């Protein structure tokens, strides 16, 4: 099985876009929330009320990047989610990373209290979809607030209560369900899988970041609500304590969340009898076949293609690539790797050419050829010359250019084939000619989202190299070699003359993004309009 593979379903994150009149909506007392069986407030246990007082509503104003037009940001928008207090002494509040990502302002509100308190993001872990937030105002913490405590992964069929602020109202809501199964699931599109708990309690937009109680009376939390399946009914997911603990430990030790470890190779199942016979694997043996190794990972120095990984940290791997999680429950063996911190060691028992070997190597974060998450391994970047818009290929770019849910269907096949590839060089990027801003100099060229491989015969490794090569070009023509042998040829002098005009026509200030500026002194700036006042001008 690949570390990255096409997901058969799309997980819809439960972020609620705030209504225009959210701030003016009527507020209710925290004890009068919606439950499946209504309990009079006077008969509710005190601890029951205290636990719910720690469930907060989050109000966020955010400005997201625009990878399809990387010279500008997307329009500002407002959204809301949920959060809960995990440490009153250190003033820590937990929510989902996607609730507060790209925030301009963040405010939180307690149940039954109309005041919104300004909050600040302390740590954001997009890979684990977790974030820590704090409120610095002392007055917020003067009320009696309860730390919600985490418990380990609950058993199948255990009851779960999801608390939060989903759409359909402004007050606290609780939905009830059970633990359906424990699986490896994707926390972000195209990212590696992490351990998740599937529940059948309703998780709707606005529930994101809220607690999933294993025991409401004792304020015990099984996980953080974060997503649901958009094409199924009552299939939601919460982040278990094992992932939350990893996130909190990273923040304690490093002040940031560095990410999750990668095993450093791709594998396939070994359930086929002929495959096992060919590799001389005995009937009582099992494991996963290594078929590709990351050239930049430590595993490259230890493993070889066609190795059969039989044990990981002393735990046997089945032919379907799973390991025992609990009694009669199994998960992919990558769960063991994801639970480790960057820099820790991994012990493997490997079957190679009829011999069992004990191997060990250090784990590092995965660095794919096509970056996955904005702010983690990529930022918007571009370079424009003669109306040709070049960008580095990334998953955020594909999502913005072809739609967050449809890019796997709509993007060109040669581009999609690069998504699961490894980098050969540390700073390697896939350069894409995304679009052509129409002008006389580029008339007749109709390319879109095609890989650019060469410039004047020179092989390209990243966008910065292309920008520097164009700036340093002294030849009469500039030749951009595209995939499949196709090319774009522009007159160098005319391109340098026309580029500022084209930029002005499309209201683009610079011919390149900030990460490429300053490399040379040839940056083009859009022609500025004449601001000199003339007689009669108002």
């Amino acid at each position: 099985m690949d570390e990255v593979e096409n997901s058969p379903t799309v997980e819809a994150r439960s972020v609620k876009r705030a209504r225009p009149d959210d701030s003016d909506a009527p507020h209710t007392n925290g004890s009068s929330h919606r439950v499946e069986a209504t309990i009079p407030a006077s008969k509710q246990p005190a601890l029951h009320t205290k636990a719910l007082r720690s469930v907060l509503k989050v109000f966020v104003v955010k400005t997201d990047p625009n990878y399809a037009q990387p010279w500008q940001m997307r329009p500002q928008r407002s959204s809301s989610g949920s959060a809960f207090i995990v440490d009153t002494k250190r003033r820590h509040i937990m929510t989902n990373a996607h609730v507060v990502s790209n925030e301009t302002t963040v405010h939180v509100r307690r149940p039954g209290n109309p005041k919104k308190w300004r909050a600040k993001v302390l740590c954001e872990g997009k890979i684990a979809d977790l974030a820590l937030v704090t409120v610095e105002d002392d007055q917020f913490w003067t009320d009696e607030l309860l730390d919600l405590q985490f418990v380990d992964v609950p058993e199948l069929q255990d009851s779960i209560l999801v608390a939060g602020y989903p759409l359909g109202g402004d007050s606290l809501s609780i939905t009830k369900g059970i633990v359906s199964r424990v699986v490896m699931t994707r926390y972000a599109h195209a990212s590696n899988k992490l351990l998740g708990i599937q529940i059948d309690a309703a998780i709707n937009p606005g529930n994101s970041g809220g607690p999933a109680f294993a025991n409401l009376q004792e304020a015990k939390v099984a996980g953080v609500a974060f997503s649901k399946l958009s094409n199924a009914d009552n299939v939601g997911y919460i982040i278990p304590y094992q992932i939350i603990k990893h996130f909190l430990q990273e923040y304690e030790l490093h002040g940031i969340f560095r990410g999750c470890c990668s095993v450093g190779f791709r594998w396939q199942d070994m359930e086929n009898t002929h495959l096992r016979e060919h590799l001389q694997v005995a009937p009582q043996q099992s494991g996963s076949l290594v078929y590709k190794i990351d050239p930049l990972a430590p595993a490259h120095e230890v493993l070889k293609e066609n190795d059969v990984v039989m044990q990981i940290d002393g735990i046997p791997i089945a032919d379907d690539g799973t390991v025992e999680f609990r009694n009669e429950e199994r998960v992919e063996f990558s769960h063991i790797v994801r639970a480790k911190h960057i820099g820790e060691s991994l012990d493997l028992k490997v079957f190679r050419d009829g011999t069992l070997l004990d191997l060990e190597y250090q784990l590092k974060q995965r660095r794919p050829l096509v970056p996955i998450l904005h702010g983690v391994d990529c930022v918007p970047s571009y370079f424009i010359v003669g109306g040709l818009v070049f960008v580095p290929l990334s998953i955020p770019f594909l999502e913005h250019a072809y739609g967050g849910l449809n890019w796997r269907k709509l993007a060109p096949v040669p581009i999609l084939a690069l998504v699961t590839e490894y980098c050969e060089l540390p700073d390697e990027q896939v350069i894409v000619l995304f679009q052509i801003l129409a002008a006389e100099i580029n008339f007749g060229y109709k390319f879109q989202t095609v890989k650019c491989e060469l410039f004047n015969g020179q092989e390209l490794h990243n966008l910065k190299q292309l920008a520097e090569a164009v700036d340093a070009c002294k030849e009469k023509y500039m030749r951009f070699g595209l995939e499949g042998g196709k090319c774009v040829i522009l007159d160098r002098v005319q391109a340098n003359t026309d580029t500022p005009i084209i930029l002005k026509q499309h209201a683009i200030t610079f011919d390149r993004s900030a990460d490429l500026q300053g490399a040379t002194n040839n940056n083009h700036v859009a022609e500025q309009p004449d601001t000199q006042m003339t007689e009669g001008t108002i």
Side-chain angles (χ1 to χ4, degrees), residues 411-428:
V413 173
I415 294 296
L416 292 176
L418 299 169
V419 169
T420 58
E421 292 298 315
Y422 288 125
C423 285
E424 299 287 342
L425 301 170
D427 58 351
E428 187 175 5

Side-chain angles (χ1 to χ4, degrees), residues 9 52 55 60 93-94 208 221 230 264 278 361 401 416 426 444 475 480 517 527:
T9 54
L52 293 179
V55 183
V60 184
I93 300 169
M94 178 157 287
S208 284
V221 174
S230 59
H278 175 72
Y361 60 87
L416 292 176
E475 300 179 25
F480 301 89
Q517 294 178 20
E527 285 191 350

Side-chain angles (χ1 to χ4, degrees), residues 193-338:
K193 293 180 178 180
L194 298 175
L195 191 69
I197 301 174
Q198 180 183 320
I199 63 175
D200 67 354
I203 296 180
N204 293 304
N207 271 126
S208 284
F213 286 98
N215 189 322
L216 181 58
Q217 302 296 329
E218 298 179 4
K220 302 296 185 182
V221 174
V224 181
F226 80 101
S227 74
K228 68 172 184 177
L229 289 187
S230 59
N231 58 350
D233 294 329
N234 296 331
V235 179
Y237 293 92
I238 62 175
I239 303 171
Y241 177 55
Q242 293 189 19
I243 304 300
I244 297 168
K245 180 173 67 173
H246 187 278
F247 169 78
L248 293 175
Q249 288 174 344
E250 284 283 308
Y251 177 68
E252 290 294 326
L253 294 173
H254 307 285
I256 60 172
F257 181 70
R258 299 177 299 165
C260 297
C261 296
S262 168
V263 70
F265 62 86
R266 298 201 188 106
W267 67 91
Q268 73 175 70
D269 299 342
M270 291 191 57
E271 297 176 302
N272 183 270
T273 303
H274 306 292
L275 175 63
R276 295 169 54 83
E277 290 176 351
H278 175 72
L279 296 170
Q280 305 176 36
V281 177
Q284 69 275 15
Q285 295 176 316
S286 63
S288 292
L289 176 65
V290 177
Y291 71 88
K292 192 164 188 177
I293 305 172
D294 184 350
L296 302 181
H300 189 264
E301 305 297 325
V302 176
L303 295 173
K304 293 183 179 181
E305 292 182 4
N306 293 324
D307 280 352
V308 178
V309 181
M310 294 186 165
Q311 292 184 15
I312 180 168
D313 279 354
I315 302 175
I317 300 175
D319 288 329
D320 62 355
T322 63
V323 295
E324 186 175 1
F325 177 68
R326 290 186 302 201
N327 292 334
E328 299 183 357
E329 290 182 73
R330 304 189 69 85
V331 294
E332 295 175 16
F333 76 82
S334 59
H335 159 63
I336 298 174
V337 180
R338 307 284 185 259

Side-chain angles (χ1 to χ4, degrees), residues 507-525:
I508 303 173
T509 305
F510 297 103
D511 69 336
R512 65 197 72 193
S513 52
D515 59 316
L516 302 180
Q517 294 178 20
T520 64
N521 296 320
N522 298 331
N523 300 350
H524 290 293
V525 180

Side-chain angles (χ1 to χ4, degrees), residues 364-389:
K364 290 187 177 180
Q365 190 176 12
R366 176 171 170 257
R367 294 294 182 184
L369 177 62
V370 180
I372 294 172
L373 289 172
H374 167 70
V376 175
D377 53 4
C378 63
V379 294
S381 184
Y382 71 93
F383 175 64
I384 301 174
V385 56
L388 308 181
V389 181

Side-chain angles (χ1 to χ4, degrees), residues 388 433 436 441-447 478 487-490:
L388 308 181
L433 173 57
I436 299 177
I441 188 175
N442 55 50
F443 178 78
Y445 296 127
K446 301 177 182 179
F447 300 110
M478 296 187 293
C487 69
V488 172
I489 298 178
L490 301 179

